[in-house]
Amino acid sequence: MKEAEKLRRERLSKLLKNGRGVWIAYDHGMEHGPRDFNSFSSDPCRVVRELSPYCEGFLLNYGIAKLARSELKCPLILKLTGRTNLGQTQVQSKIASVEEALELGASAVAATVYVGEERERKMLSQFAEMRRDCSKAGLPLVGLMYPRGPNVVNPNSWEVVSYAARAGLELGADVVKTYWTGSQESFKRVVQAAPAPIMVAGGPKMASRDVLDIARDLIAAGAAGIAVGRNVWQHENPVGMLKAIRAVVHEGKGVEEALKAI
Ligand code: FBP
């Protein structure tokens, strides 16, 4: 086996232990702006220090990764694309490179494609370029595949989510991260359409029990796990919430049992 392929597999096996993963997404300072943060979550070093011992991956932008790298106790997934919420155009630009990811010691990189957006063309070709760099470096590439655009009426419908996830597979993503479709049955169709490890995005803050219900259902549907942000670091007990999610995803605990961690 070529060295790069060996590296890619080794890195992937840490991001998904026995095929499952709980990742923390913390790129919101760029994507949504500081409105998402409270006194805990606005402090990158604290967030990384307190949460990274309990997850298989931390999704960060370059500046935050550089700032908090000495606190990181789990694999870094460096986001190579970004946008702010102040711009009108729904397009992700390249904001970091595979080379920079390697310099920071990343175990994987991630890039967003808004499947269905007007500027989709740019995001697709950008993704393909990154894939070429990743193959050479043995870095897994995570496709953040979100249906969005004038023809996407409901971005959580299984029809468009399965299309976005499948597009990620077709592009050569090692792992696809996409939206939850609302039920185990509907998400099974996504998993069937895109036979790759699929991580589900957490979404806006909701009741702890609802998050754990989703965690249970996505595993039952065949997803690999959850990449969660606001529902952990906006929680009044972020570490407890993360441990509860882990109990469901990794240990197969029921929701009632898992809630005891909070
Ligand atoms: P959450 O768990 O907080 O939803 O984070 C997941 C995530 O995909 C982040 O990685 C990203 O910043 C954000 O959601 C994107 O949100 P939007 O769908 O509004 O662009």
Side-chain angles (χ1 to χ4, degrees):
M1 196 192 307
K2 276 202 194 142
E3 192 55 28
E5 177 54 14
K6 200 171 148 227
L7 266 175
R8 189 189 68 86
R9 289 190 189 190
E10 279 170 13
R11 285 168 165 152
L12 205 49
S13 69
K14 290 189 184 122
L15 292 163
L16 298 172
K17 277 196 195 126
N18 302 319
R20 295 219 179 137
V22 177
W23 297 351
I24 291 292
Y26 185 59
D27 56 329
H28 303 58
M30 170 75 88
E31 298 285 319
H32 294 165
R35 70 162 193 227
D36 279 356
F37 297 144
N38 54 29
S39 59
F40 166 68
S41 52
S42 58
D43 180 346
C45 291
R46 191 165 168 215
V47 169
V48 171
R49 181 168 59 245
E50 294 191 17
L51 300 181
S52 68
Y54 308 105
C55 53
E56 282 74 44
F58 229 96
L59 181 70
L60 295 173
N61 283 314
Y62 181 87
I64 302 299
K66 202 169 166 194
L67 192 71
R69 75 201 268 203
S70 62
E71 307 284 0
L72 196 62
K73 303 285 183 302
C74 73
L76 166 66
I77 306 162
L78 189 74
K79 202 158 162 227
L80 300 189
T81 66
R83 59 141 199 156
T84 73
N85 217 5
L86 295 176
Q88 290 303 306
T89 322
Q90 296 280 310
V91 62
Q92 292 256 337
S93 305
K94 190 170 173 195
I95 57 168
S97 67
V98 165
E99 206 182 334
E100 287 173 312
L102 292 171
E103 280 164 20
L104 286 172
S107 299
V109 292
T112 303
V113 179
Y114 295 138
V115 180
E117 263 303 339
E118 275 167 37
R119 305 283 300 279
E120 178 194 80
R121 215 161 29 132
K122 174 188 156 94
M123 292 177 273
L124 289 173
S125 55
Q126 188 168 262
F127 194 96
E129 247 174 62
M130 292 168 189
R131 182 195 61 219
R132 285 187 276 273
D133 294 343
C134 283
S135 300
K136 285 187 208 138
L139 264 188
L141 175 57
V142 181
L144 310 175
M145 308 301 297
Y146 306 139
R148 201 172 293 202
N151 295 322
V152 176
V153 180
N154 173 10
N156 296 97
S157 76
W158 71 264
E159 288 92 341
V160 291
V161 174
S162 58
Y163 197 159
R166 179 69 189 211
L169 183 69
E170 305 267 345
L171 279 170
D174 296 291
V175 179
V176 167
K177 175 184 165 213
T178 192
Y179 297 142
W180 177 238
T181 54
S183 70
Q184 190 188 131
E185 290 66 37
S186 59
F187 207 80
K188 275 186 182 161
R189 307 184 87 144
V190 178
V191 172
Q192 189 185 12
I198 301 186
M199 298 292 285
V200 174
K205 179 88 165 58
M206 53 191 131
S208 309
R209 181 181 294 277
D210 293 343
V211 180
L212 298 176
D213 280 345
I214 292 174
R216 175 201 59 208
D217 290 349
L218 65 88
I219 291 297
I226 185 164
V228 59
R230 288 164 287 181
N231 277 295
V232 165
W233 44 253
Q234 284 181 352
H235 199 278
E236 61 274 13
N237 178 358
V239 171
M241 185 60 194
L242 181 52
K243 285 184 176 171
I245 295 172
R246 292 190 68 76
V248 174
V249 170
H250 285 294
E251 297 161 38
K253 290 219 170 120
V255 171
E256 291 307 327
E257 185 63 21
L259 278 167
K260 292 181 186 160
I262 301 171

